Amino acid sequence: AVVSTQSTGENREILADIVRRSTVQVPEYRSMEWRLECQLGSRSLHNTVIPNVLTKWKVSDPQSKNLKTKETYLDCDVGTLQHITESLRAAQLELDTFHARKMCRNLSRIG
């Protein structure tokens, strides 16, 4: 930890330049609508239930001056939606670790 701190201190200007050049403008979340669709059967498959989730995401483009919103649709089955939810929860828990908070603090001081 001491070596990492010393190295960061020595290379602060280089790291600040890298952070400034590598900032990514990601879309900002505005709203989300969802709809659950269930196929209750077909001619070949009687008495089957196939759930499907359709989501509509509204995000704004940070590069546009008037924050124009864009709509994106995601159509997935319930298993895929559960996997996405688990991945996002794991990423959120990872952000709450001591190491991640320390790196965020150091990067905010550099930039």
Side-chain angles (χ1 to χ4, degrees):
V2 174
V3 174
S4 175
T5 306
Q6 289 173 350
S7 176
T8 303
E10 294 169 1
N11 299 318
R12 181 175 295 275
E13 294 169 15
I14 296 169
L15 289 172
D17 185 47
I18 291 170
V19 168
R20 276 188 227 103
R21 283 188 286 135
S22 66
T23 56
V24 177
Q25 297 291 329
V26 295
E28 297 175 1
Y29 168 82
R30 294 293 173 208
S31 68
M32 192 250 324
E33 298 174 17
W34 61 275
R35 179 175 68 200
L36 178 65
E37 300 173 343
C38 290
Q39 181 179 357
L40 300 176
S42 65
R43 290 182 184 180
S44 60
L45 298 171
H46 301 288
N47 298 325
T48 59
V49 177
I50 303 173
N52 204 24
V53 179
L54 177 66
T55 58
K56 179 171 77 172
W57 298 83
K58 288 187 182 179
V59 294
S60 63
D61 184 10
Q63 295 177 350
S64 70
K65 293 180 181 177
N66 58 359
L67 293 178
K68 183 178 179 183
T69 59
K70 175 183 171 185
E71 293 181 355
T72 303
Y73 293 88
L74 174 65
D75 188 13
C76 61
D77 61 355
V78 175
T80 302
L81 188 61
Q82 287 175 336
H83 175 69
I84 291 170
T85 304
E86 290 169 4
S87 297
L88 289 173
R89 283 188 181 143
Q92 185 178 20
L93 289 174
E94 190 173 319
L95 279 176
D96 291 337
T97 63
F98 175 75
H99 179 70
R101 287 193 309 262
K102 184 176 177 181
M103 291 303 295
C104 288
R105 262 194 320 269
N106 287 336
L107 288 175
S108 67
R109 288 179 192 159
I110 291 172

